[in-house]
Amino acid sequence: MALSRRRSYSSSPAALVVAVLIVFLAAAAALVGADDPYRYFTWTVTYGPISPLGTTQQGILINGQFPGPRIDCVTNDNLIVNVINNLDEPFLITWNGIKQRKNSWQDGVAGTNCPIPPGGNYTYKFQSKDQIGTFTYFPSLAMHRAAGGFGAFNVYQRPAIPVPYPLPAGDFTLLVGDWYKAGHKQLRQTLDAGGALPLPDGLLINGMQSATFVGDLGKTYLFRVSNVGLKTSINVGIQNHTLKLAEVEGTHPVQNAYDALDVHAGQSVAFLVVLDQPPHDYAVVVSTRFSPAANLTTTATLHYTGATSRAPGPLPAGPPAGSDWSMNQARSFRWNLTASAARPNPQGSFHYGAINTSRTLVLASSSPVIAGRRRCAVNGVSFVTPDTPLKLADNFNIANVIAWDSVPVRPDGGGAARAGTPVVRLNLHEFVEIVFQNTENELQSWHLDGYDFWPVGYGNGQWTESQRQTYNLVDAQSRHTVQVYPNGWSAILVSLDNQGMWNLRSAIWDRQYLGQQLYLRVWTAQQSFSNEYSIPTNAILCGRAVGLPH
Ligand SMILES: *[C@@H]1O[C@H](CO)[C@@H](O)[C@H](O)[C@H]1NC(C)=O
Ligand SMILES: *[C@@H]1O[C@H](CO)[C@@H](O)[C@H](O)[C@H]1NC(C)=O
Ligand SMILES: *[C@@H]1O[C@H](CO)[C@@H](O)[C@H](O)[C@H]1NC(C)=O
Ligand SMILES: *[C@@H]1O[C@H](CO)[C@@H](O)[C@H](O)[C@H]1NC(C)=O
Ligand SMILES: *[C@@H]1O[C@H](CO)[C@@H](O)[C@H](O)[C@H]1NC(C)=O
């Protein structure tokens, strides 16, 4: 598929047409990854009764399941997912951490896709291109995620490309999250009225409070843990067992051993556990973190085959409260530079620390009152979803939807907060520093679609340029979602190699819903299918794009 882009600039018009056609066909072939296998899914989304905390409430089910079906696939598989929306509200699914290379058309957020109307359907078509690891999907609109509709998305390596650890005897997927007895409509009403989310009523593991994972003495298992909750950070540990970090959001870290790991909203980690203890049932302990008003714990069971009793002794005490322990752990996550990625090149072959940044965005989050209601904002601008998705407005040149570059790229420290629809314009192949400044006493979590990035620094207080001297410019652990400690900052470096319209958002879901998000348009004037695919023929058109030719 390595057609030279220059061919589309041949001088003769006939050659140009032929070349454009060839490039188009090549792009189409690339899109469906001719050599790579296909996996087809038909997902019907409905309401249905669930009782994760013992009382029945209305859940959002996919094919009758809560959580939704797990996707297990192999790097570069083509995924064709027909989502049929049988809810009474518009619906979209986003693929958390799946990079959608050249293809923000399939990202499934309000800025890229028209919602699937009640009774309608949309077929997502994308490739899990050059990624291996533990990901998730979830509904991106209208607080639906509070009712379910999320699931696990595991991408396995191709046989030809070894992972940097012996293959485990099995793997376990744990979707962990805070849970609320109130339904998504009720939570939405509370937020719309300017109120705050209530405290969570419980913590769930795979939609339950009683999951069991079974393994054999002496064998090693991979635990994949994702925080699919609305907002609460969690800590996970296993009684009398060591967790050896094996994968973080699609890249391989140095395999440090931990007693317990913090996982913040929207994040995933995978760790290896050797069943090297006397055969018993051991507690897998999950507890809330950074949630001073609600200290919840739930336990699952690691059952040794044949065991008949619980392990003696107390459950592990969680780590100390406050940021220090967690921040030190975050800094201890290191990229294994010699491990191979999804393609057979070392992860560290791209020396990110040696590249000059082209610009710096300093994004301060806040929760101002706008028009009498509490909202959340980035540098004073609270995102409001436009009637026409930004990606469509850009594609069709529809005026007055996008407010280009209308968010300050430094906190302006004063002006009244306002609502807006900002898109920051950036050039393809820029290398950018983004600093997330937390001005509140609540942990933040930030996610960027379309990318992973290097979190090079975490700190307390106000970020200043002198903090750059503390950055890890050698082996920061690449990931797609980064926490920002209360009244602290986190800095990331990101290589903008994926053209498209990408959501940069709070992974704390009430904050995202209330406007703590914006979009980055990564673009180049040289339009080419080798940089970005064109609008899918089945794209739903809504708002001011209704009736326009695809
Ligand atoms: C809806 O589903 C049908 C098959 O049931 C499919 O042919 C059609 O393309 C889907 N619509 C969209 C917009 O993907
Ligand atoms: C890093 O990856 C290499 C290559 O797969 C592996 O041999 C090594 O054990 C890993 N190092 C650490 C510290 O995890
Ligand atoms: C929860 O834990 C934190 C830190 O350990 C503590 O400060 C707080 O008082 C606890 N809250 C409740 C309601 O127990
Ligand atoms: C298991 O862990 C508990 C604390 O979590 C500890 O008290 C006990 O000594 C440990 N048992 C063994 C056999 O290591
Ligand atoms: C980075 O910037 C410095 C100073 O502006 C310059 O000397 C250096 O050549 C640049 N490095 C690269 C790789 O462009």
Side-chain angles (χ1 to χ4, degrees):
M1 229 41 68
L3 260 187
S4 156
R5 188 193 307 164
R6 197 171 297 148
R7 289 203 58 175
S8 57
Y9 301 117
S10 327
S11 47
S12 116
L16 183 67
V17 169
V18 168
V20 166
L21 196 66
I22 289 172
V23 171
F24 178 78
L25 292 174
L31 182 58
V32 298
D35 301 334
D36 298 309
Y38 283 73
R39 290 178 199 264
Y40 295 90
F41 304 87
T42 302
W43 282 2
T44 304
V45 182
T46 59
Y47 292 124
I50 56 173
S51 339
L53 295 179
T55 51
T56 302
Q57 59 187 113
Q58 185 188 58
I60 292 180
L61 315 180
I62 298 178
N63 294 348
Q65 297 175 45
F66 166 78
R70 186 175 82 212
I71 292 184
D72 284 329
C73 66
V74 175
T75 306
N76 293 1
D77 281 355
N78 297 288
L79 300 160
I80 315 286
V81 189
N82 190 356
V83 176
I84 301 165
N85 176 16
N86 284 346
L87 305 181
D88 58 352
E89 299 181 338
F91 183 82
L92 277 176
I93 283 177
T94 190
W95 316 93
N96 196 44
I98 298 297
K99 288 192 208 165
Q100 306 293 6
R101 292 203 69 83
K102 312 174 192 177
N103 204 6
S104 59
W105 298 109
Q106 305 294 340
D107 202 28
V109 289
T112 59
N113 293 72
C114 293
I116 308 169
N121 71 296
Y122 174 67
T123 308
Y124 291 86
K125 297 176 187 165
F126 60 94
Q127 240 185 324
S128 53
K129 188 85 179 139
D130 294 335
Q131 288 185 276
I132 298 172
T134 305
F135 307 97
T136 59
Y137 63 84
F138 62 82
S140 63
L141 304 179
M143 296 299 289
H144 288 148
R145 180 175 173 178
F150 51 76
F153 194 137
N154 297 333
V155 186
Y156 291 84
Q157 67 278 11
R158 287 179 285 170
I161 299 166
V163 287
Y165 48 84
L167 285 185
D171 68 34
F172 304 124
T173 300
L174 284 73
L175 301 175
V176 180
D178 52 19
W179 190 259
Y180 301 75
K181 287 181 180 166
H184 71 281
K185 291 184 184 178
Q186 193 183 331
L187 294 176
R188 208 163 66 201
Q189 266 172 15
T190 303
L191 295 174
D192 289 344
L197 278 190
L199 297 178
D201 297 301
L203 266 183
L204 302 183
I205 302 175
N206 296 342
M208 298 177 283
Q209 293 188 292
S210 59
T212 297
F213 307 97
V214 181
D216 297 334
L217 176 67
K219 292 189 177 161
T220 301
Y221 295 85
L222 183 70
F223 282 72
R224 303 170 177 274
V225 177
S226 297
N227 186 334
V228 294
L230 292 188
K231 64 181 305 166
T232 312
S233 299
I234 60 117
N235 179 269
V236 59
I238 304 180
Q239 188 185 9
N240 297 115
H241 289 76
T242 298
L243 321 181
K244 194 181 189 196
L245 193 65
E247 178 243 315
V248 178
E249 293 163 19
T251 54
H252 294 120
V254 168
Q255 290 168 21
N256 296 328
Y258 297 91
D259 288 333
L261 289 162
D262 275 355
V263 189
H264 305 282
Q267 296 185 334
S268 299
V269 296
F271 50 82
L272 295 161
V273 176
V274 186
L275 271 55
D276 57 0
Q277 295 295 305
H280 287 297
D281 284 353
Y282 292 87
V284 178
V285 181
V286 176
S287 52
T288 55
R289 300 272 284 153
F290 296 94
S291 177
N295 299 323
L296 301 169
T297 296
T298 194
T299 55
T301 303
L302 170 57
H303 173 74
Y304 279 52
T305 306
T308 55
S309 60
R310 289 216 74 94
L315 297 189
S323 299
D324 291 354
W325 184 91
S326 187
M327 203 184 290
N328 283 336
Q329 177 170 90
R331 291 185 182 129
S332 76
F333 284 19
R334 298 295 169 106
W335 215 28
N336 181 341
L337 301 179
T338 59
S340 66
R343 282 187 285 184
N345 53 314
Q347 291 182 148
S349 57
F350 182 73
H351 299 283
Y352 71 87
I355 303 166
N356 288 334
T357 54
S358 55
R359 69 178 103 191
T360 297
L361 313 180
V362 181
L363 304 178
S365 52
S366 60
S367 39
V369 171
I370 301 176
R373 300 219 164 89
R374 175 181 175 265
R375 298 276 306 173
C376 291
V378 182
N379 288 353
V381 183
S382 181
F383 188 86
V384 178
T385 302
D387 64 352
T388 310
L390 303 164
K391 183 71 190 149
L392 293 181
D394 192 22
N395 183 70
F396 292 118
N397 279 313
I398 302 169
N400 303 324
V401 176
I402 300 175
W404 293 117
D405 304 314
S406 65
V407 61
V409 295
R410 302 269 172 163
D412 67 355
R418 62 191 168 81
T421 305
V423 176
V424 178
R425 279 181 289 193
L426 299 158
N427 300 314
L428 186 63
H429 303 311
E430 274 195 61
F431 192 72
V432 174
E433 175 187 35
I434 303 178
V435 178
F436 299 106
Q437 181 70 54
N438 189 350
T439 64
E440 293 162 274
N441 192 26
E442 163 180 345
L443 184 132
Q444 306 273 341
S445 182
W446 277 93
H447 171 88
L448 175 58
D449 278 352
Y451 288 94
D452 51 27
F453 48 71
W454 292 274
V456 289
Y458 299 89
N460 293 311
Q462 186 74 33
W463 178 85
T464 61
E465 296 192 356
S466 65
Q467 306 286 359
R468 287 182 181 139
Q469 289 156 16
T470 69
Y471 285 2
N472 176 354
L473 294 178
V474 178
D475 59 356
Q477 173 61 45
S478 152
R479 64 188 317 169
H480 58 62
T481 302
V482 66
Q483 70 272 28
V484 189
Y485 291 95
N487 291 305
W489 55 270
S490 298
I492 67 169
L493 299 178
V494 55
S495 175
L496 298 180
D497 58 358
N498 193 12
Q499 185 167 316
M501 182 72 77
W502 301 111
N503 193 201
L504 177 59
R505 60 171 177 257
S506 179
I508 309 283
W509 216 240
D510 55 329
R511 301 191 68 102
Q512 180 273 351
Y513 178 76
L514 291 172
Q516 188 175 321
Q517 57 171 318
L518 51 94
Y519 283 78
L520 307 182
R521 185 184 72 162
V522 178
W523 193 76
T524 167
Q526 295 168 359
Q527 289 304 292
S528 158
F529 291 116
S530 65
N531 291 335
E532 186 174 11
Y533 302 135
S534 55
I535 182 168
T537 53
N538 67 334
I540 300 174
L541 300 180
C542 58
R544 283 174 258 176
V546 167
L548 296 175
H550 280 85

